[in-house]
Structures are given as structure tokens and as C-alpha cells.
Amino acid sequence: MTEKRSFTLDQQEIPFQPGDSILQAAQRAGVYVPHLCFHPDFSANGSCRLCVVSIAGKTVAACHYPARSGLQVTMNNSRLQQQRLRLLQLLFAEGNHFCPSCEVSGSCQLQALAYDLGMTHYHYDPFYPQRPRDGSHPDFFIDTDRCIFCDLCGRAGTEQDHKPVYRLGGRGEQTRLLIYSASGKLGDSRAAADDKAAHVCPVGCILPREGHYRDPIGERVYDASPIHWVGNRRRDQHAAPAADSAGDPSHD
Amino acid sequence: MCRRLRGHRLSYAATNWPRWDHHFLPWDPTLAEQLLRQRQPTPFRPDWLLQGLVTLQFSFGQVSAAAQLWLANHCGVAITDVRALMSFYHFLRESEPPRYQLYFANNIVEQQNGLEPILNRLRSKLASADCRLETTSCIGQSDRPLSALVNGLPVVGINQDNLDELCQLLNSGVPVGRWPEHWFPPADDLRHAGPMTRYDYHPGMALRHCQKLSSEAIIGLISQAGLRGLGGAGFPTALKWLGCQHQPAATRYLICNADEGEPGTFKDRYYLRQQTDPVIEGMLIAARAIGASQGFIYLRAEYLYLYHHLQQRLEEWRRQGYLGRDFDIEVQVGAGAYICGEESALINSLAGQRGIPRPKPPFPGERGLFDKPTVVNNVETFAAVTCIIQQGPAAFREQGSDTSPGTRVHSVSGDCPRPGLYELAQGTPLRRLLQLCGGEQAGCVQVGGPSGALLFPEQFDSTLDFDSPGRGGAIMVFDQTRSVADIAGNFTRFFRYESCGFCTPCRAGTVALEHLLKRLQQQPERRLQAMEDIMELSELMAETSHCGLGKTAALPARNLISRWVAHD
């Protein structure tokens, strides 16, 4: 008989497959680990650090840490929750986030996590960065004020669309989203309406031009229930681009 | 009419890049290709993209938009990939170069040695000169303040008395390589030599000995010596080698980390210039021990002036037949990014990428450069390897402690009459070093660079080794007039500037930390809250950051608060 492959996450037993990270195994078991830069379809990045968990007193990123039999992983204690809250507040402070007027309010993972963790204010002084916008593409608008540098668009482009459109450049606080085109504008790039890369943004940085208010605010994926209930459901899975056609009778 | 010299195409010989005896050249694709091919027979590869940019930068003084496009097309990459590198490495510049590009180090030691007044005077005197004055984190000359890189060449000992002479030169148009000799760093000498720097070194002797040994036996000798990585982390060298040697792989790489970027450190400058052969021989021994087929020296751009010398020594080892058959060494040059001293960021940089640290595991010994098992060791570690093999591990163990055997070279700068390099046994008390350098009256001492520890007189008996706070390495001495808040502020700013920007706690945390330090000083009514916030943020960064930079970036601010709390 082979040894059973499982570890415990907050006392709950989680089975895993060889090669799984803690986050992958938890997600397969239906357990939500807070995250922003992780997506089940793409390689892990480990930049947002929201998925921090504690193993034998050491804080690690669950999206990278390899699952091993017998591990005892702590995800939800007050210290880790407080650290996640502060990380979110840092993300809010370093960008320019205007939730009440944002097209993706209610389906934004950053906003949803902030509500879920009880965030009521920024805590840190806002950085007020000057960041560019790009309205050159017929299907998408880019507002880098909201970018959290998760590189999901870059990874989706490489791993699924197999064409480069987005990537990160710069360094430190000057890190920025770059577009693959001679002009640096999205309109001159190979971006197309049904690119996975354009629909995987966890925030409102890469915005389809149409259809934002098809689902009214208040009825969106994270409006009805907190993100830790909705679990791993995402905007890009909730409304697949194919169903976005204007003549779709389900939206009549 | 172009003011820069023309007609230099023919004067370039195979190994004499870079050159400082003329000004930056005007952009010329034919010349550019010639220059690149002199450094590397097959330069137009994606993984050599960064090296291409560095070569262009230090030849033409810029990488113009046209040059970027030219290189991207030749390497078969998108222009956006070039832009990603240009915007990460701060020595890479797109804009038209001035005749003289000056980078002053703005480490705390330089700040305390009158950096601002000198810069202000220079700015007013050079208003009409074709100069650009900027600052950078550290150029590895903290023992010779003030110092600046002029078009990439270090110019040292700048002070109020010789500022007029400097301005004359900057107005004269004389290429920096033809300036009077006294402006350049003299050959390094140690203030205090020891068994690793003053033994009777016989080139090739240790290597010939190793050629009779199995790789296990070589690693065994290093293990017996108890050598720990001298870059600062102190990881056992034999374990690192073993981890790589054990991997089933046809190709393994060896890297010499010469990206010495910790402000206040300059020992590698000495090793690369004065102990070049022991360093190269140590690499040959390591390559044999782990079975590496290709080696690299990753040289920080601030030490570009040592590039030519390194190439000459490597050529000599090739001529002797030790290099170039089953193992060769290529020198690659950084472009101004402290984070590239972190071994996995360095590996990404060597592969022509932005210097973002990789997640660990896997460690480089398992999956490193081009995903092959890779060992990265510090310059001094390789010198120690040669010493250990030639002299025997027992001789190495004669000094130092059981857990930190041997000696290491400390870089001393700041308020003391005898700054410079000191080789001391591991475990030597800090107080002893302060006596040697004349810093006994210090008010506090930063040990181990900005990511180390700030020690006060009651802690001066603590020892310099891998088991003590700060661990040694860069020693910055501060007299009693220096403000601890200024020191913490300078180091915090340094980490903010050098954060790679990958993870949230470091990218945004270093900025928030500086805001909080400012609040601490400017808003007394919010002081208590700021202190609490700094302590909390420092823990957040230490625990959740992706790599060592973020984990240590808040230590200076944290130490400042702890000190205040203890003395209020």
C-alpha cells in the first residue's frame, strides 16, 4: 500500500498530487487560500504574497511551496490575516484605486479581498503615482493606475495565447506594464478580443471596452458573497469572452 | 559637427574594450557589431542581450532608440524585451550622453563626507559644461571618499580642495582616461594582511594537486577546512558544491559573483585586481569538483575598469593550457542593480533577463543558469579555495572558530584615520578592528553593510564571524556626532531604490517605510503611531518578502526605533 499523500491546512486534511504547491492542492480540494497573482491555469508567480501561510513557524508563499506529506500548514490565524490586510493596504496605497467608479467593482479580486479582510482605510500614505493610460486599442482600455504587477497577463500570453502582448518592465516602485509593440501602445500590438491575457486581469487594469455593466453593480461575482465563499470563482471564468456577444439572448 | 572623436573604428583590438582614452563614440551599427564580436563571437543571442546593451552603453554612452531596435532585431527579440532591460538596469540610458556622465556614490559614508556641498558647488561651477551629475548607491570606493564614476571610470579622492582641478578637467574636454594618474584608484593594498592574502602562492600548484583527486576528494578537503561562503551569507561551500555535483545533468555551470554591491564593501576590488590568479584558480578547482563545463565572472559595472585586467589574466591561463579546453570562463558585466548580487537574480541577469530573484526551492544547485545545476560563489570564496588546497585544510583551520574557520577581509570606511581592507581571523572582536583602523572612539559601527547590524560601544566586544550579529564584511565607522536617524534614513532609501519591485512587501513596503520615517521626524504629534507602524511593517517585510533584500530592508529603521525605545 502506498503512503497517502496529504498535508493539513488549518487542521483540515488536504490530499495532493506530485508536483502540487500547497495552493494548488488546496484549490483542488475546494479550500480557498487568499491570492491575487495566482491562477489555476498558469504557472505560479509569487509576487503578491497574499497567499502567505505558516509552516513550522516560517512564513512562505503557498503558491510556490511544494506540498509534502505530513506538513502542518497554518493559513488562518490573526497574525497572517493582519499581514494580508497590510499587504492589501500597501497595494491600495501604491496604485490609484477608485473603487466606486471602477468598471470592475464587484468582480475585482483586490476589492473583494479588501472587503473580506475588513479593510476600512489605506493605513499607509497614498503614493499617488503618475501612471499612463492607453486607449489605443478598439477592444480594450488600459489603466495602469490599477495595475498590481501580478504578471497574469504576461503569463497567460506566453502560456495560453502563445503571443507576447504584455510584460513587466522597470524596477522597484518604477515597475510598470509594458506592451509588445514598437510604439508601446496596445493598439499597435497583437492584442485581440478573445485573448486570455486580456481577460485574466484580477483588477481593473486591462478593461474590455464593452459589457462592463451587463451584470449590474451589486449582482457581480463578489458582490453577492465574500470571496472566501465564492472561493476560486473568477471573473474570467464567470463570464467567458465567447458569451459576451451582443446578440446573446441570455442577456436580453 | 559632431564634437566626439571620429575614426576610431580601426583602433579597437580584440581585448581592449572598454576604452577611456577617447570620448563616447557616435552611433554606428558597423562599429557596434565589431565591438560586440570582440567581446563574444556569437553576440546576437537573447541570453546575451544584456551584455550587448552594456557593451553599447559603455562605448556610445547611451543605447539610443535606434540602437535598441538594431540590437533587438539582431538578437531576434522584441523591442519591448529590450525596453524591459533598459528600464531595470539604471546605467543603461537612452538619452543623448553628455561628454562626461558622473555618478557619485550616495552611501551614508559619502553623505557624511560632504557629498551635498560638493555636488552643489559642482553644479554651480559646471553650469555650462557638458556634464551630467547623478548619484548611485555605491561604487565600491567608500574608503576613498568622495568618489565618482566618470563615464564608467572611477575617480577618487574628490574634495573641496581639488574641486577646481576637477572642474577644469570637466571643462577641458580631455577624455577621462587621459586625466592625471592621481585621480584614479591606486593599486589596493591591505591595511592588515593575513594567511589568505600573504601566503606564498604558487600559480597552478593547487590545481595540479586537484587534477590527481576525485571530485569527492576535492569537496572533502573544502569540507574539512569548514569554508563558508565569504559573500556574506556564510553557507558551507562544500555543501553547495555537493548539492550541484550530485545532480544528474550533462551540463553544469559555475559562477563567480563579482557583483559586490553592498554599500561600504570593496574587498572584491582588491581580489579581482591583486589576487586575480588565485581567484581564477579557485574557479578551476571548483569547476573540476562539480564538473562544470562553463564558468562566468559576473562583474558589477562599477568595476568595469577591472574588465580588461581580468581578460588578460584569463588569456594567460588559457595560454598555459589550464583554460579553454573542457572549461572556460566568460566575463559578463552588470549594469547597475544591487539585487543582482543575489544569486538567483544574478542567474537571471546572466541569462539576459531582468534581475528578479527566483523562488527557492529549487535552489541554483538543482536548477540554475539555463535551468542547469549551477554553483554561485563569491570572489573571496574562490581565493580561499585556492589557499585551502595549496596550504591544506588544517592550515586554514588554524585561525578562526570551529563554526567559522579561517579569515576574511573586511572593508572599513567612515570616521577613522585608517580606512581600507583588513584581513582578520573569523571571530575577531569588533573592538580589535576598531583599534587597528583608529576608530576606538566610534559612536556606533554598521557591521555587514546596510543589511547588517548597527552596533553601539557596549556591543563592540561582539565578534566578527558568521555566528554574530552583522557577520562582518562591510564595516562603516561613525563618530559620536553622527545621527543614527540619518544612517537609518540613508539605508532605507538605498533599499527603496534597489528593490527589484517583484513582491508587494518590498516594492511598496520600502516606499511606505520611507514615508513613515519622514513622518517620524516631521510630525512629532504622530510619532508614536509612526513608531508602531514601522515596527509592524518591518516584521511584515521580514516575514513575507520574496528574497533577502526585502527581508532585511526594514532592519535599519527597526534598529533606529529599538534604540530610541531603549534610551527614552
Side-chain angles (χ1 to χ4, degrees):
Chain A
M1 189 178 150
T2 55
E3 193 198 350
K4 196 174 162 202
R5 280 199 202 93
S6 71
F7 60 90
T8 62
L9 182 63
D10 288 340
Q11 279 90 46
Q12 186 180 343
E13 185 141 330
I14 309 281
F16 68 91
Q17 296 170 7
D20 270 356
S21 66
I22 286 172
L23 180 40
Q24 280 172 316
Q27 192 155 75
R28 199 176 295 115
V31 175
Y32 176 72
V33 180
H35 61 265
L36 287 171
C37 70
F38 176 83
H39 190 292
D41 297 345
F42 306 113
S43 59
N45 196 43
S47 63
C48 76
R49 313 310 278 181
L50 263 295
C51 71
V52 284
V53 293
S54 172
I55 297 172
K58 209 171 161 238
T59 307
V60 299
C63 68
H64 266 305
Y65 201 87
R68 277 204 316 268
S69 276
L71 279 183
Q72 295 186 345
V73 185
T74 306
M75 173 174 70
N76 279 321
N77 62 24
S78 56
R79 183 177 176 80
L80 286 167
Q81 289 292 77
Q82 175 72 9
Q83 291 189 328
R84 288 191 191 105
L85 172 67
R86 290 290 185 245
L87 289 170
L88 277 174
Q89 287 169 319
L90 282 171
L91 283 171
F92 272 93
E94 77 163 345
N96 297 305
H97 296 277
F98 310 102
C99 293
S101 63
C102 177
E103 294 86 334
V104 299
S105 178
S107 58
C108 166
Q109 297 207 328
L110 182 71
Q111 180 199 39
L113 263 174
Y115 278 130
D116 204 32
L117 290 165
M119 180 177 142
T120 55
H121 61 290
Y122 277 24
H123 189 74
Y124 301 106
D125 291 341
F127 300 3
Y128 298 124
Q130 298 270 326
R131 295 195 191 153
R133 296 185 185 93
D134 180 350
S136 60
H137 196 276
D139 298 320
F140 300 103
F141 183 80
I142 293 186
D143 183 350
T144 56
D145 272 345
R146 313 173 199 184
C147 182
I148 57 166
F149 314 112
C150 68
D151 195 36
L152 264 175
C153 50
R155 282 175 283 153
T158 314
E159 295 168 27
Q160 184 167 331
D161 302 331
H162 304 294
K163 62 176 176 186
V165 176
Y166 312 90
R167 70 161 292 165
L168 293 178
R171 178 170 99 193
E173 63 195 284
Q174 301 299 328
T175 299
R176 54 185 186 267
L177 186 64
L178 301 180
I179 304 296
Y180 276 93
S181 67
S183 65
K185 294 284 178 199
L186 192 66
D188 298 326
S189 76
R190 294 167 63 197
D194 54 356
D195 286 349
K196 182 69 175 175
H199 297 277
V200 80
C201 183
V203 292
C205 174
I206 303 173
L207 288 163
R209 281 191 184 269
E210 290 178 10
H212 306 127
Y213 298 104
R214 190 166 294 144
D215 294 329
I217 286 183
E219 294 175 20
R220 298 180 176 183
V221 59
Y222 308 123
D223 280 334
S225 325
I227 192 165
H228 77 269
W229 285 9
V230 177
N232 298 306
R233 201 141 60 89
R234 312 169 59 93
R235 181 166 78 231
D236 60 299
Q237 292 154 336
H238 181 67
D244 275 1
S245 62
D248 187 344
S250 65
H251 290 289
D252 283 347
Chain B
M1 178 69 195
C2 180
R3 59 166 196 269
R4 281 173 219 101
L5 303 182
R6 287 184 183 277
H8 277 270
R9 189 176 302 181
L10 297 175
S11 65
Y12 275 91
T15 54
N16 64 358
W17 181 87
R19 290 186 61 160
W20 285 283
D21 58 352
H22 54 70
H23 289 292
F24 293 131
L25 302 155
W27 170 241
D28 173 347
T30 317
L31 176 59
E33 179 164 350
Q34 223 176 342
L35 286 165
L36 292 172
R37 287 196 193 280
Q38 281 167 13
R39 278 199 66 202
Q40 165 62 250
T42 54
F44 298 120
R45 319 185 306 243
D47 61 278
W48 219 72
L49 188 58
L50 176 61
Q51 292 310 301
L53 292 171
V54 169
T55 313
L56 299 184
Q57 175 67 44
F58 287 104
S59 306
F60 301 98
Q62 66 174 136
V63 192
S64 64
Q68 289 174 44
L69 194 61
W70 174 83
L71 190 60
N73 289 339
H74 276 73
C75 293
V77 302
I79 183 69
T80 308
D81 292 322
V82 175
R83 288 178 188 147
L85 296 183
M86 292 291 297
S87 54
F88 186 88
Y89 295 95
H90 85 263
F91 284 152
L92 301 179
R93 307 288 293 255
E94 183 173 319
S95 55
E96 183 79 12
R99 191 185 292 238
Y100 300 104
Q101 167 72 54
L102 276 78
Y103 286 105
F104 279 83
N106 61 6
N107 179 27
I108 184 70
V109 170
E110 281 79 5
Q111 291 278 358
Q112 293 172 341
N113 274 280
L115 175 65
E116 288 309 320
I118 291 270
L119 280 179
N120 289 337
R121 237 184 101 194
L122 271 176
R123 279 194 193 103
S124 65
K125 289 174 88 81
L126 294 170
S128 59
D130 191 5
C131 283
R132 189 158 60 199
L133 297 177
E134 283 172 293
T135 57
T136 187
S137 296
C138 180
I139 64 170
Q141 308 283 352
S142 288
D143 55 334
R144 300 152 174 167
L146 290 169
S147 47
L149 291 171
V150 182
N151 295 350
L153 201 61
V155 162
V156 299
I158 302 166
N159 55 44
Q160 294 284 1
D161 298 332
N162 60 20
L163 205 60
D164 285 333
E165 190 196 335
L166 179 67
C167 291
Q168 256 172 17
L169 284 167
L170 291 170
N171 276 310
S172 70
V174 176
V176 62
R178 296 192 187 145
W179 287 12
E181 200 58 34
H182 68 88
W183 284 105
F184 304 114
D188 282 292
D189 206 9
L190 293 135
R191 294 271 188 186
H192 192 271
M196 204 158 60
T197 49
R198 288 289 154 87
Y199 67 106
D200 192 13
Y201 167 64
H202 296 286
M205 187 174 155
L207 181 63
R208 282 191 296 274
H209 180 58
C210 286
Q211 281 165 347
K212 291 176 259 166
L213 300 176
S214 68
S215 61
E216 284 79 9
I218 301 171
I219 298 176
L221 288 173
I222 300 302
S223 172
Q224 276 172 41
L227 177 63
R228 294 172 68 174
L230 294 168
F235 189 80
T237 305
L239 271 185
K240 199 182 241 188
W241 290 10
L242 216 52
C244 175
Q245 188 247 354
H246 275 172
Q247 295 296 323
T251 310
R252 295 187 185 80
Y253 294 111
L254 178 73
I255 298 169
C256 172
N257 183 348
D259 193 45
E260 174 174 66
E262 195 75 26
T265 319
F266 41 84
K267 65 172 173 54
D268 291 350
R269 178 188 87 188
Y270 157 80
Y271 277 106
L272 294 168
R273 198 172 178 184
Q274 252 91 306
Q275 303 274 357
T276 325
D277 289 338
V279 171
I280 294 172
E281 189 168 348
M283 288 185 72
L284 281 156
I285 293 166
R288 189 173 162 73
I290 64 165
S293 53
Q294 177 65 47
F296 296 91
I297 298 175
Y298 186 91
L299 184 70
R300 67 190 301 224
E302 292 85 345
Y303 290 169
L304 187 62
Y305 73 109
L306 301 174
Y307 178 86
H308 186 56
H309 169 69
L310 279 174
Q311 292 289 19
Q312 280 183 324
R313 292 319 302 160
L314 287 170
E315 199 48 47
E316 181 59 25
W317 282 85
R318 274 184 210 112
R319 213 178 54 75
Q320 304 264 345
Y322 290 110
L323 254 184
R325 284 186 215 153
D326 38 9
F327 178 71
D328 207 348
I329 297 173
E330 178 182 342
V331 184
Q332 295 211 2
V333 182
Y338 165 76
I339 188 59
C340 290
E342 197 279 341
E343 59 179 7
S344 65
L346 189 156
I347 284 169
N348 280 339
S349 186
L350 270 184
Q353 309 280 326
R354 290 158 81 228
I356 306 279
R358 298 175 174 186
K360 295 175 186 173
F363 288 90
E366 191 185 330
R367 209 185 310 159
L369 184 63
F370 308 127
D371 288 338
K372 301 284 188 262
T374 303
V375 160
V376 186
N377 279 137
N378 178 258
V379 173
E380 191 177 20
T381 309
F382 286 118
V385 164
T386 306
C387 177
I388 288 166
I389 303 291
Q390 196 197 301
Q391 308 286 87
F396 185 77
R397 274 199 172 270
E398 270 169 25
Q399 299 223 25
S401 65
D402 278 353
T403 49
S404 293
T407 56
R408 73 183 292 200
V409 172
H410 301 278
S411 315
V412 179
S413 61
D415 302 319
C416 61
R418 293 180 293 280
L421 295 161
Y422 292 76
E423 184 188 347
L424 296 172
Q426 299 270 22
T428 303
L430 172 61
R431 196 178 297 284
R432 169 78 185 130
L433 175 56
L434 292 176
Q435 281 162 358
L436 289 170
C437 73
E440 299 101 317
Q441 299 304 313
C444 56
V445 179
Q446 181 77 21
V447 180
S451 55
L454 187 62
L455 302 182
F456 293 88
E458 65 272 19
Q459 299 160 294
F460 285 176
D461 286 321
S462 70
T463 54
L464 302 170
D465 53 55
F466 292 123
D467 308 303
S468 311
R471 298 171 164 225
I475 314 282
M476 290 178 249
V477 182
F478 303 112
D479 70 27
Q480 296 177 4
T481 65
R482 304 303 190 186
S483 144
V484 179
D486 285 352
I487 299 169
N490 180 281
F491 292 161
T492 305
R493 205 157 39 249
F494 160 73
F495 285 120
R496 170 181 177 175
Y497 184 65
E498 295 294 348
S499 166
C500 81
F502 173 74
C503 73
T504 310
C506 180
R507 182 188 64 239
T510 49
V511 181
L513 201 59
E514 230 200 320
H515 291 170
L516 286 168
L517 277 178
K518 207 168 278 172
R519 191 191 291 171
L520 198 64
Q521 283 164 339
Q522 294 171 357
Q523 295 175 279
E525 72 284 1
R526 296 174 72 189
R527 199 172 159 208
L528 264 183
Q529 184 60 47
M531 284 166 76
E532 274 178 32
D533 285 345
I534 288 172
M535 294 309 264
E536 188 199 47
L537 181 56
S538 74
E539 280 177 25
L540 179 76
M541 291 167 66
E543 288 175 30
T544 66
S545 288
H546 174 66
C547 82
L549 192 155
K551 286 182 200 291
T552 50
L555 278 179
R558 185 180 177 83
N559 292 343
L560 172 69
I561 307 295
S562 307
R563 182 78 186 163
W564 280 352
V565 170
H567 287 259
D568 262 358

